[in-house]
Amino acid sequence: MKIVHVASEVFPYAKTGGLADAAGALAGALADAGHEVSVFLPGYRIAVDHPLAAGAERRLQLRIEMGDAFMSGDVRSFSPRKNLTVYFVCRDEFFDRRQPYGNGERDYEDNHHRFIFFCKGVVEALRLLELRADIVHGHDWQCGLLPLLLRHAEQRHGTTLAAKTVFTVHNLAFQGVFPMRSFYRTNLPDELTGIDGLEFYGQLNMMKGGLLFADRVTTVSPSYAREIQTPEFGCGLDGVVQTRAGDIVGLLNGIDPAIWNPASDVHLPARYSAADLSGKAACRAELLRHHGLDPAFKGPVFGMVCRFTEQKGVDLVLANADFFRTADVRLVLLGTGEPRFVEAVRELAMAARGRIAADVRLDEAMSHLVEAGSDFFLMPSRFEPCGLNQMYSQAYGTIPLVSRVGGLADTVTDLDENPAEGTGLMFPPTAEGLRDGLERALRLHADPARRAAAQARGMRKDFSWATAAQAYQRLYDEAV
Ligand code: ADP
Ligand code: GLC
């Protein structure tokens, strides 16, 4: 098949979260399975400057209609592996900036124009390249208008660009909502500004475009596929999601074993496997030493790596500050995010020097060391479409402590409920729930045999993308 993936971030060229890992690994796995795969992402400064993109060549000049004006841009491409071509849609005014979505404090004010331009650039590139895709697969709100723009361009030019479109929701909490007056930049028919189209409380909602107009809609776990049809998790779009209830499927993400494998991980000071965990002890000592904690500490080490937001339950960890200050444990927090959480996390670490370390950075290598060096990994998310770190944790012999939501519920088995198959600890997404999980973690740490058995089970699990990608292949087959 000819498969085109379109995403606002793709590992390793640009990453702010799990979307990048998922899009990059899925595209790679489909290429490995023999499909002809193209991946489009914006030509951000970090992407264009990435060493692996050094061979990128300017392929196309773009002239994109944006409302009543035309904007120029270009498309660069290169092939990082067999069957895979990566395309950057470039326009310096929009993408030659330090970060993909915002300056750290807040989102860029022209994000709607940036991603309308990006989607239009993809459509125009597909036309100019005469690619005739079987599947054009867009991810999250930044690609929400893609199915509409694609069909609109096909009508206008009397040509077929794609047999079918697929849209995947990675996180319904980010919908791309903008003033309706920016709609004219899409050059789409005005009837789409109504409630059956892109209108959402008087505003333009880009996520709605993907949900309503893609041929197939997926999300990243079976539980989340059910949850987003309810008011509690639907973020105001549960009614819209319900209109697709018949054909929305939840397909779990996987792990890219070339990147997340403790036996070959280039970011670790020592490598290890289920058969020999001695390298894990070296990683643990290095993690503690690096953060100014005693490397010989014997009690449980908790790690957490995430965007510091409400979704991830950072406030639930803060609500349990007394536990981390008084119990004989260590805690390493790696993340960036909302200033109020960053400040609170820093204060917590300052008040408990030698026990709690706050590492406020985006650091890919350190995220691997936290996974490898921790005994327990914290993910008390309020909602979690899929979540990757709980899978990385299991692969790295680190026991995940997760709330019972979304993909966390689908990929972790609770040890107390299912002692024979358990790989982690699960609780409701509340401060008390997390507290209960922490207490149970202490008891587990004091029982080395039970802990080792849970670790071994986690490390044996198959989370590989090769398997996960097969589910997408079946979906594509059915669709076309
Ligand atoms: P989400 O996409 O909602 O942020 P996921 O669990 O799907 O959550 O994926 C998050 C990804 O981002 C993981 O690969 C995680 O290791 C990574 N990550 C999050 N924060 C950081 C950070 N500060 N430094 C390095 N990697 C991070
Ligand atoms: C989103 C979700 C996360 C998921 C990731 C990749 O960022 O928040 O749960 O794992 O996308 O699909």
Side-chain angles (χ1 to χ4, degrees):
M1 277 192 175
K2 284 190 196 166
I3 301 166
V4 176
H5 277 273
V6 187
S8 58
E9 52 183 276
V10 178
F11 186 85
Y13 313 105
K15 167 170 170 175
T16 72
L19 168 62
D21 286 10
L26 173 57
L30 291 167
D32 288 352
H35 300 288
E36 193 185 311
V37 183
S38 307
V39 175
F40 285 85
L41 73 150
Y44 306 116
R45 189 185 302 165
I46 37 165
V48 172
D49 289 347
H50 197 284
L52 290 178
E57 283 176 21
R58 195 156 302 188
R59 281 282 289 280
L60 304 169
Q61 258 334 105
L62 294 177
R63 192 166 171 269
I64 303 291
E65 190 179 15
M66 294 279 285
D68 46 17
F70 281 85
M71 288 186 172
S72 60
D74 63 79
V75 175
R76 300 171 205 175
S77 76
F78 60 102
S79 177
R81 71 211 255 180
K82 195 165 165 248
N83 300 333
L84 182 67
T85 309
V86 175
Y87 295 90
F88 295 148
V89 175
C90 301
R91 175 175 167 86
D92 286 352
E93 179 206 349
F94 286 151
F95 303 122
D96 187 24
R97 301 184 189 178
R98 281 192 42 203
Q99 296 176 61
Y101 310 129
N103 61 11
E105 295 276 302
R106 72 173 82 100
D107 286 348
Y108 301 130
E109 272 163 27
D110 57 353
N111 273 350
H112 42 326
H113 296 154
R114 298 170 78 226
F115 291 106
I116 290 171
F117 178 87
F118 170 59
C119 288
K120 287 190 166 196
V122 172
V123 171
E124 180 65 355
L126 293 179
R127 192 179 76 84
L128 295 173
L129 293 165
E130 294 178 36
L131 212 75
R132 290 185 170 275
D134 294 297
I135 297 286
V136 170
H137 187 157
H139 300 266
D140 271 353
W141 72 261
Q142 293 88 348
C143 301
L145 299 184
L146 190 60
L148 284 166
L149 293 168
L150 192 97
R151 296 308 179 206
H152 188 65
E154 286 180 335
Q155 274 173 7
R156 211 155 117 177
H157 297 285
T159 180
T160 303
L161 300 175
K164 294 289 171 186
T165 58
V166 178
F167 180 67
T168 296
V169 178
H170 292 262
N171 195 336
L172 199 60
F174 300 99
Q175 300 179 356
V177 176
F178 302 101
M180 192 52 98
R181 70 184 128 75
S182 39
F183 176 80
Y184 85 100
R185 295 271 197 178
T186 66
N187 302 89
L188 289 167
D190 280 342
E191 59 259 30
L192 284 167
T193 56
I195 181 79
D196 296 329
L198 304 171
E199 194 265 353
F200 183 72
Y201 297 99
Q203 294 194 286
L204 169 66
N205 185 318
M206 298 213 194
M207 181 69 111
K208 236 184 132 184
L211 287 173
L212 288 176
F213 298 104
D215 293 307
R216 294 297 170 107
V217 178
T218 78
T219 185
V220 286
S221 71
S223 289
Y224 195 60
R226 285 189 299 273
E227 288 169 349
I228 56 177
Q229 300 181 40
T230 67
E232 193 188 348
F233 292 97
C235 306
L237 284 180
D238 35 301
V240 175
V241 176
Q242 277 170 24
T243 66
R244 304 295 309 254
D247 49 9
I248 186 162
V249 287
L251 306 179
L252 278 174
N253 290 326
I255 296 188
D256 187 340
I259 315 283
W260 289 98
N261 177 354
S264 55
D265 193 324
V266 293
H267 298 301
L268 301 183
R271 276 157 280 281
Y272 60 94
S273 65
D276 179 5
L277 283 173
S278 51
K280 184 166 173 68
C283 294
R284 188 183 189 276
E286 175 57 20
L287 175 69
L288 293 170
R289 194 200 56 74
H290 181 95
H291 290 100
L293 309 173
D294 175 12
F297 176 70
K298 289 282 176 287
V301 175
F302 292 85
M304 184 163 180
V305 181
C306 66
R307 295 180 285 114
F308 289 161
T309 60
E310 222 170 86
Q311 173 189 349
K312 302 294 177 181
V314 182
D315 52 322
L316 304 182
V317 173
L318 293 166
N320 279 289
D322 64 320
F323 172 89
F324 293 105
R325 275 198 300 254
T326 54
D328 193 24
V329 304
R330 298 293 176 265
L331 171 64
V332 177
L333 295 149
L334 171 66
T336 57
E338 288 178 37
R340 60 181 170 137
F341 290 129
V342 168
E343 216 169 287
V345 162
R346 281 200 169 120
E347 270 170 27
L348 175 69
M350 222 109 87
R353 256 181 226 278
R355 290 172 160 272
I356 303 175
D359 200 348
V360 181
R361 288 175 305 140
L362 262 177
D363 186 331
E364 184 71 21
M366 184 52 68
S367 73
H368 287 243
L369 185 61
V370 176
E371 280 292 3
S374 304
D375 300 305
F376 296 96
F377 195 91
L378 299 179
M379 285 185 89
S381 309
R382 285 215 166 67
F383 66 95
E384 197 59 80
C386 179
L388 297 173
N389 286 101
Q390 81 283 8
M391 294 193 267
Y392 301 153
S393 297
Q394 289 170 83
Y396 279 63
T398 303
I399 310 266
L401 264 64
V402 305
S403 42
R404 193 184 304 272
V405 293
L408 301 174
D410 293 340
T411 54
V412 175
T413 308
D414 185 87
L415 250 175
D416 292 312
E417 283 164 20
N418 191 340
E421 287 168 35
T423 56
L425 300 172
M426 226 185 289
F427 41 81
T430 59
E432 301 73 40
L434 173 59
R435 180 56 175 248
D436 170 62
L438 293 168
E439 301 288 351
R440 288 197 283 147
L442 291 186
R443 291 199 287 280
L444 181 58
H445 194 76
D447 186 346
R450 195 164 155 254
R451 183 158 73 95
Q455 272 181 311
R457 280 192 295 270
M459 294 180 87
R460 275 200 311 268
K461 273 197 177 178
D462 175 19
F463 288 121
S464 80
W465 258 112
T467 311
Q470 283 169 10
Y472 281 97
Q473 288 179 64
R474 282 194 294 275
L475 177 94
Y476 298 157
D477 279 335
E478 272 170 43
V480 299

